[in-house]
Each structure stands twice: as structure tokens, then as C-alpha cells.
Amino acid sequence: MIKPELLAPAGDLEKLKIAFIYGADAVFIGGKKFSLRARASNFDIPQIKEACDFAHNLDKKVYVTTNIIPHNENIEGLVEYLKDLEGAGVDAIICAAPVIIDTAKKETDLEIHISTQVSLTNYESVNFWYNQGVTRVVLARELNKYEIKELKDNTEADIEVFIHGGMCVSYSGRCTLSNNMTDRDANRGGCAHSCRWNYDIYDGETKLNDELSFSMSSKDLQTVKQISDLIDIGVHSLKIEGRMKSIHYIATVVSTYRKLIDDICDDYKIDLPKYLLEIKKAENRLTSHGFMEGMTTIDEQLYNMRSENPSQDFIGLVVDYDEDTFTATIQQRNRFVPGDYIEVFSPNFESMKFKVDEIIDEEGNAVDAARHPLQILKVFIPFKVSKYDMLRKIKQLS
Amino acid sequence: MKIAVTPLGVKGIEGLSANGADIFLIGNSSFGNRLVYSFSTIEITNANNLIKSLNKEIYIVMNYIVHNANIKSLKEFLDFVKELDVDGIIFGDLAVYQLAKKIGIEDKLIYSPETLNTNYYDPIFWSRQGIKGLTISKEITLEDIKQISKDKVLEISLIGHGHLNMFHSRRPLIENFFKYTNQEYKDYIENRNLRVVEEIRNESYPIFQDNHGTHIFRDKSLESFQEVNILNDYLDVFIIDGIFKDNRYLEEALKHYKELLNNKGDAKSISKLYEGNHDSGFLYKKTVYDK
């Protein structure tokens, strides 16, 4: 059995460090150019270099997305940009367009991965790109685990599969709803997520839905139950989606899959409910296994639930801990007050709990509530915690 | 520039030919997406014979997304198409290229992946793969179309007229919604009379579900009457797609384009005839992406 790579998203350097600390083997990031998710806080070249240096010190990898479908106006500066990525030490680029793939091949030695934006759904199309010198392909999210197995058995290419996060409702890259409805180009980073909006459906002039809108929106992908199968298939890389997600989301999701993959590969007994419970703490949209078990049913769709519910449970990040005084320095992320019950969550997947006593601000004053985002505060924690541990509010200690 | 059309069955071919169509796009729904008509293999053979007897060209539409389970039938169908000795094969999935190459007919292929042929390098890349042509994506401006087409390294086509799609999902979205709301859904599969309306937009988007998933289309059809003579200088093939329309509409539109290409008729007044439910798509509309 080969242990697959766990690949996590990172929208900025802090998220990248969190992803690695919480167990990712590699992260993918967006640069300032040629990347989808134009609104994510993408990295400039010095930041990409810093990311690569940080990763390589840990013997980990950084991939950069260059996966837009470029129009003529987008091509200028491509050679220089790809050379800059190579100079920064990037381990691979994730591409969708022939112009980017060929330019990278001609002008650099960058490793090339094919993006899910081209929706590779069968082994023949995967082998086309393998024959073009591409080492890895990211498969379409429309495949079930049996299709993935058949595909893997018929190609030499490394296979990367999405295991968690948001899903396009369409075949990725085959959608211009956003272009047509909002003038925002979905395939150049401007997607307005029109597939998640509410619609009425008509047969001619007859409306077919009542108060409940016609919805196409998809639950997010979550494959805790399928990881064992994907490892058996020999999938090379297991990918988590979400460059715009919070550090709490990344830490929770990465550490859960990290522990799960390690336990499966080390042949430990797998307690699935434990992993499911843990990963649910990062959930801000309902989840399902997507296409993994076969064609999607109503259980993979979201109905009547347009709004997302970002988790408010994440209240702070540990910055430091003084073992002599049992005092943790934390950076506030959501409101909490003395008397709240807190779970400390760390990269080793273990959690411990305590009740908040006093909250002290930087001037040494006790405050009645931690109100301000990113405020530095001190809290008594009766057990050792470490930098980058996270604090979640819970209902009770037991 | 040749004009390609999508006949509604074998019967529609002669009329369209008489009105000046040069190429006929013929497909079977097992291998083609969003077809105006699904030709059986017997009908494809008949259409092939008829089109050849009219000294016109036939392209087979095989623009579906291929999954592993389809590969066996894809091989068989390509063998059948090879025997027919058609003029072109329109494809959207690289599996078709891979298998066509194995039987030596990649030089018939025209790459039409809906959204991926967007810049001047795409023809260069695909000409190196030894194929016949490519179809430019639907969200490209007139200025970009000119640049993409100008080097003539392979045959460049564009859907210049018709009701363009904007979304393809593998999910059975209509069936699932009706199941969720406890309504009978079978009447709504393959039903091309369905449309969706977004809650704050006064636009109506045709939608249907078939064996390939769910498809959604633009609210208006594209027309290029005022641009056809400019496109004539750049394109090799101008496609009129007749989805949601009848043969009469197709013949009418074809007649108008032919008139304009023969320097007869007035483009503005023809455009006016189509006003209301037609527009110029992305020909003059640049999309944004960085805010």
C-alpha cells in the first residue's frame, strides 16, 4: 500500500503554515496571475518563495494554480511569470490551457499537473495528457470510486482526486452561467456561483414549483468513508478544496484526514464516527460523498438552504504558552466570555477542555468579553498548549 | 466560409441544401450532446448517402463527455463512422481523439469542447495533434475571434447563430428536484419545453435533462447578421444551430445569411426581424474576472 499525499488549499501564508502544521504533505496556492479564485488573497512571487522555503524545510511541497482558461489578453507576461515560479522553487503548476502547458514545457522545467477544469473523466483523456509529458492529472469530480479504479488501472499518470470541499454543480470548466448572467468569467476566476441561486421552473407557462425554489446547489464533498477505498485504488494525491476557507476549517479538515490516512496505512482500527464528528466541526454547508458511490441523488443536493453558516465555534489561535504560569497568549477569532467552555484542538488530533476564567488584555486589564477580532489576550489554561493550537467554544466539558 | 446547419432529420436535408447549406451536422444522442435530432445509425447512413449525392459535406457530432463505460461503444461507433468516410467529426472529449488516432482518422476531427478554445494558441496546439479543425468557444468577443482565426493553421468554426448552452452537469438535477418535492418526474426528462427563471432576473433559461445530465441555455438566441461578412474574412465554417427551433426557422435564417454573404439584403433590417429574442451574445461583450 502506498500512502497518498494529502494536499490542502492555502489562501495566504498563515493558512499555508497551518495546513502543513496540521498534517498536509503539500499545499496548492494561487499566484497573482493565471489563477482561478481571483478574489482569494493570492500570493505574489516573494510570498510564493517564502511558502516554498517553508515547505521544503519540512520536506513538503507547494503547487501553484495557473488554471485559468486564458483569452488572448491574458497571455502577455506568461513566460516571465512561469520562470518566476520556477525560480521561487515551486514543485508543480496546475494547468488547464495548452498555451500555459506548452510554455511551461518549453521555457521551464516545472512539473505540470492538469487541472480539474478540463474535466478528465476517462483513462483515454488522461493518457492524452500523460503522452504530452504531464505527470499528474486532477480528475473530474463527477467520477465514482469504481470509475476512478478503472481509470487508475489503465494509466501510468499519477492521479489526484478531490476528497473534500465545495463542488461545481456543472462539469468543471463547462459552465458559463456566471459569464452570461453577470458578465463575470467563470473560467478566468470570476465565478459568481449562479448555480447556487434560487430559480423557478416552468413547463411552458406553467410554474412547476411552489414556495420551494428550484435549486441545483450541491452539498459539499466529504469522503471520510471512501478514503480507505481511494488508498486501496492507489490514488496518488487526495485533495481538499477551499483556498478561501479559514485557518480553522483547514486545520480541522486537514488534521482529520491526516489522522485517518495514517490510521488506515498503519492498519489501526478505524473509528469512522470519530472522524465524522471531528470533520463536522468545520462544516459550514451540509456535506455528502458527491459522486463517489454513484450517480448523485437528492441526498447530494441542497434544497431550500441558500445561506451558509460559517462556524462561530472557533474563538482563538494560541500564539504562546507560559508553562510556569499556565498562561496562554491567544489571538481572538470570535467572541467568548469568562465562563465559556473551550476545547483546545491541536495538530496531533487530540483535544482537551477547560473553562475560561479571567480574560486579560495586552494592558493587563481583565475584560468581560473577548470582542475584537485578532486582539491579543491572555487566558489561564490548566494544561500545556502550543503555538498554532486552536480554541473552540463547546457547550459543556464532558 | 462554409455554412453548417443542424437538420431535423433526413427529411430536412434537401431543403437546407437548396437554401445553400454546405455542411450538415448529424449526430446520435448516445454520442452527441444537445442535438436538434438524434439520427439512428440507419438514418446516419441514409443522411450520408443523401448529403454526398447533393455534393455537400457531412460532419458527425460526437461532443459528449466520455466516461470509462462508454469507451467500448465509442470504439464501435468510430469504426462505423470511419466506414462512412464522412468529412468531419466534432468532438469534445479527448477520448474521441485517442481512439480516432488509433484507427487513423484523427485528420477528420474538429475539437469543440464548449469553453476551452479561447485564445490564439489553441489552433496552434491542436494543429500539431494532426486534427482538422476547432470550434471557438461561445464567450469570445469578435475582436478575439479575428485574432484566433487569422493564422489559418486549421479549419476554424464558430456557432454564429442559435440558442447556445451555458451549463452542463452530469447530475440529474430535474429528476432530483421533482423527487425531492414528491412530484412525478418522468414527463420532465428529455422535455425541451422547460425553463428556469432566476428570482431577481427577468430572464428565462431553457433547461433539460437527458442521459448525459442536465443542460441550461442562454435566455436569448445568438444572431450575427451584421457581423457575418466580417466573420467571412476569418472563419472557415459558420454554424447555425437549430436547437429549440423548427426546420422553417433554420431555412429562413440560412437564407438571410446567404443573402448577406452574396451582398444582397440589409443586415440591420434582417437583424430587426430577430429583435427581442435574439442578441449578439459575447461578440461585443467582454467578461470581467478580477473583482
Side-chain angles (χ1 to χ4, degrees):
Chain A
M1 182 191 293
I2 299 167
K3 188 184 273 194
E5 170 186 275
L6 179 60
L7 174 56
D12 58 35
L13 273 168
E14 183 188 37
K15 291 173 187 174
L16 175 132
K17 288 176 183 172
I18 291 291
F20 283 136
I21 288 163
Y22 278 78
D25 299 306
V27 299
F28 64 101
I29 62 177
K32 294 284 182 194
K33 296 178 184 172
F34 303 101
S35 174
L36 292 178
R37 299 274 177 272
R39 285 167 292 157
S41 47
N42 289 331
F43 292 64
D44 61 22
I45 294 294
Q47 288 169 326
I48 292 173
K49 182 163 186 335
E50 189 180 340
C52 292
D53 291 346
F54 184 86
H56 296 160
N57 275 333
L58 300 170
D59 207 18
K60 300 190 175 199
K61 292 181 173 176
V62 174
Y63 308 140
V64 174
T65 55
T66 54
N67 57 345
I68 62 164
I69 309 292
H71 292 201
N72 293 339
E73 67 194 15
N74 304 117
I75 294 172
E76 198 185 328
L78 177 61
V79 174
E80 187 191 7
Y81 182 70
L82 292 175
K83 284 184 171 173
D84 284 347
L85 292 182
E86 188 179 34
V90 165
D91 295 285
I93 52 170
I94 306 170
C95 313
V99 66
I100 297 178
I101 295 163
D102 274 9
T103 307
K105 277 162 64 179
K106 190 169 163 228
E107 303 286 345
T108 74
D109 290 321
L110 283 164
E111 183 174 314
I112 296 165
H113 299 173
I114 298 290
S115 165
T116 198
Q117 285 303 106
V118 297
S119 279
L120 297 176
T121 53
N122 63 77
Y123 54 84
E124 290 288 356
S125 58
V126 167
N127 286 335
F128 172 86
W129 286 114
Y130 184 71
N131 295 339
Q132 295 280 330
V134 165
T135 48
R136 186 190 289 191
V137 299
V138 188
L139 297 184
R141 277 172 275 215
E142 281 74 14
L143 301 185
N144 63 50
K145 60 190 184 189
Y146 310 103
E147 291 177 306
I148 295 170
K149 177 167 173 36
E150 188 180 357
L151 194 150
K152 174 73 182 75
D153 289 346
N154 285 282
T155 184
E156 297 292 314
D158 285 346
I159 299 299
E160 184 173 306
V161 171
F162 276 98
I163 57 166
H164 199 92
M167 299 179 84
C168 284
V169 180
S170 70
Y171 282 104
S172 293
R174 302 290 178 118
C175 177
T176 54
L177 284 183
S178 176
N179 306 45
N180 279 283
M181 294 169 72
T182 69
D183 296 348
R184 299 166 60 97
D185 192 334
N187 297 320
R188 292 192 288 167
C191 179
H193 304 286
S194 309
C195 60
R196 296 196 182 274
W197 296 353
N198 287 330
Y199 296 84
D200 288 324
I201 183 164
Y202 292 85
D203 182 4
E205 295 307 313
T206 311
K207 191 174 161 199
L208 300 175
N209 61 304
D210 47 26
E211 309 84 58
L212 183 72
S213 293
F214 175 75
S215 163
M216 300 181 275
S217 192
S218 162
K219 287 181 185 172
D220 281 2
L221 182 64
Q222 182 267 93
T223 59
V224 165
K225 289 180 183 165
Q226 286 77 27
I227 293 300
S228 179
D229 290 332
L230 294 174
I231 293 174
D232 284 345
I233 289 166
V235 171
H236 187 268
S237 178
L238 302 174
K239 183 175 203 166
I240 298 162
E241 181 275 349
R243 281 190 278 139
M244 295 170 79
K245 301 286 192 188
S246 69
I247 56 168
H248 176 252
Y249 177 94
I250 290 169
T252 305
V253 174
V254 168
S255 67
T256 304
Y257 283 110
R258 173 77 281 150
K259 179 79 173 136
L260 178 57
I261 293 165
D262 290 348
D263 286 353
I264 291 167
C265 292
D266 292 341
D267 226 6
Y268 289 161
K269 191 173 182 314
I270 305 302
D271 180 10
L272 280 178
K274 186 174 139 196
Y275 302 104
L276 290 166
L277 194 67
E278 186 60 24
I279 215 157
K280 210 174 168 51
K281 293 174 185 171
E283 201 171 87
N284 57 4
R285 198 185 276 145
L286 293 175
T287 62
S288 83
H289 55 240
F291 282 86
M292 277 290 163
E293 299 291 342
M295 187 53 77
T296 53
T297 67
I298 58 175
D299 295 331
E300 280 69 60
Q301 300 298 132
L302 271 180
Y303 294 111
N304 207 13
M305 273 181 216
R306 179 163 179 176
S307 59
E308 296 178 12
N309 300 304
S311 166
Q312 296 298 308
D313 298 339
F314 172 43
I315 57 112
L317 177 72
V318 175
V319 182
D320 195 14
Y321 185 71
D322 184 337
E323 288 186 59
D324 296 333
T325 61
F326 299 97
T327 303
T329 306
I330 65 169
Q331 189 186 57
Q332 194 266 20
R333 293 302 171 108
N334 272 300
R335 187 179 188 276
F336 66 100
V337 296
D340 279 347
Y341 297 115
I342 304 293
E343 173 183 72
V344 181
F345 154 62
S346 67
N348 66 13
F349 199 64
E350 298 303 324
S351 60
M352 292 178 75
K353 294 160 189 170
F354 71 98
K355 185 179 173 183
V356 177
D357 187 13
E358 267 190 329
I359 304 173
I360 310 292
D361 70 12
E362 279 186 295
E363 279 75 47
N365 304 315
V367 293
D368 62 344
R371 291 191 179 81
H372 308 297
L374 305 183
Q375 187 180 9
I376 299 296
L377 300 162
K378 289 192 190 304
V379 178
F380 177 83
I381 301 183
F383 46 82
K384 186 176 183 311
V385 296
S386 303
K387 188 177 178 184
Y388 297 119
D389 285 358
M390 294 189 187
L391 309 184
R392 289 186 190 124
K393 194 150 67 177
I394 52 174
K395 290 196 175 65
Q396 54 197 20
L397 286 183
S398 55
Chain B
M1 182 176 74
K2 294 172 181 170
I3 297 196
V5 292
T6 56
L8 280 86
V10 181
K11 278 184 183 167
I13 293 170
E14 281 187 288
L16 289 165
S17 176
N19 280 294
D22 305 293
I23 301 169
F24 292 88
L25 309 183
I26 307 282
N28 175 282
S29 61
S30 294
F31 308 95
N33 266 324
R34 303 170 292 274
L35 302 175
V36 301
Y37 179 83
S38 179
F39 289 73
S40 68
T41 47
I42 293 169
E43 287 175 314
I44 292 174
T45 307
N46 293 340
N48 186 45
N49 292 336
L50 175 60
I51 291 164
K52 283 183 173 147
S53 74
L54 296 166
N55 281 324
K56 300 291 171 88
E57 295 179 43
I58 176 170
Y59 287 2
I60 303 294
V61 183
M62 298 179 65
N63 61 345
Y64 71 141
I65 292 183
V66 179
H67 288 262
N68 294 332
N70 308 126
I71 286 179
K72 185 169 175 281
S73 59
L74 170 58
K75 276 181 189 156
E76 290 165 3
F77 193 70
L78 278 173
D79 285 338
F80 163 72
V81 171
K82 184 180 180 180
E83 284 299 307
L84 293 174
D85 192 24
V86 297
D87 301 285
I89 301 166
I90 296 175
F91 77 106
D93 189 300
L94 300 176
V96 177
Y97 171 84
Q98 291 285 96
L99 298 180
K101 194 169 180 190
K102 281 178 193 161
I103 58 170
I105 56 168
E106 73 273 21
D107 59 345
K108 305 273 191 195
L109 293 175
I110 295 144
Y111 186 46
S112 179
E114 310 297 330
T115 51
L116 303 180
N117 289 331
T118 54
N119 64 67
Y120 62 80
Y121 190 81
D122 292 313
I124 299 169
F125 179 84
W126 286 105
S127 70
R128 287 183 189 150
Q129 314 309 320
I131 69 172
K132 178 186 176 93
L134 66 74
T135 306
I136 296 177
S137 297
K138 297 161 186 173
E139 62 282 4
I140 304 300
T141 61
L142 183 60
E143 283 312 306
D144 276 3
I145 289 167
K146 290 180 189 172
Q147 281 191 50
I148 294 169
S149 313
K150 71 176 191 299
D151 288 339
K152 301 274 177 214
V153 287
L154 40 61
E155 181 181 286
I156 304 287
S157 45
L158 176 83
I159 303 179
H161 189 105
H163 213 131
L164 305 182
N165 70 306
M166 55 177 186
F167 170 95
H168 178 199
S169 173
R170 192 185 191 190
R171 296 167 186 252
L173 295 170
I174 291 173
E175 177 181 331
N176 282 346
F177 179 75
F178 286 118
K179 279 182 179 168
Y180 182 77
T181 53
N182 292 315
Q183 296 180 73
E184 181 50 57
Y185 68 89
K186 288 188 177 130
D187 286 350
Y188 299 119
I189 306 303
E190 299 270 8
N191 180 335
R192 295 195 177 188
N193 204 32
L194 297 183
R195 59 197 176 88
V196 288
V197 179
E198 202 270 331
E199 58 185 355
I200 57 166
R201 283 175 174 72
N202 188 27
E203 293 179 341
S204 191
Y205 312 107
I207 182 171
F208 67 79
Q209 184 190 315
D210 62 14
N211 287 337
H212 301 291
T214 307
H215 312 269
I216 304 177
F217 295 76
R218 299 184 68 235
D219 63 321
K220 289 181 177 167
S221 293
L222 171 70
E223 59 91 352
S224 318
F225 294 110
Q226 294 178 68
E227 295 78 20
V228 69
N229 275 306
I230 301 168
L231 293 169
N232 188 28
D233 293 337
Y234 293 91
L235 298 177
D236 300 296
V237 177
F238 179 94
I239 299 168
I240 304 175
D241 187 319
I243 193 160
F244 306 125
K245 303 290 195 291
D246 57 21
N247 233 12
R248 204 170 65 87
Y249 171 94
L250 207 52
E251 283 186 16
E252 248 340 80
L254 173 61
K255 219 186 291 180
H256 290 313
Y257 284 111
K258 288 303 276 190
E259 270 173 31
L260 293 168
L261 286 168
N262 291 326
N263 294 319
K264 290 178 199 155
D266 171 55
K268 274 192 184 152
S269 24
I270 295 174
S271 258
K272 202 131 185 87
L273 300 174
Y274 288 78
E275 218 171 55
N277 49 10
H278 290 69
D279 68 10
S280 58
F282 288 95
L283 290 176
Y284 304 104
K285 188 164 83 172
K286 268 174 91 84
T287 49
V288 295
Y289 48 89
D290 55 358
K291 63 178 183 184

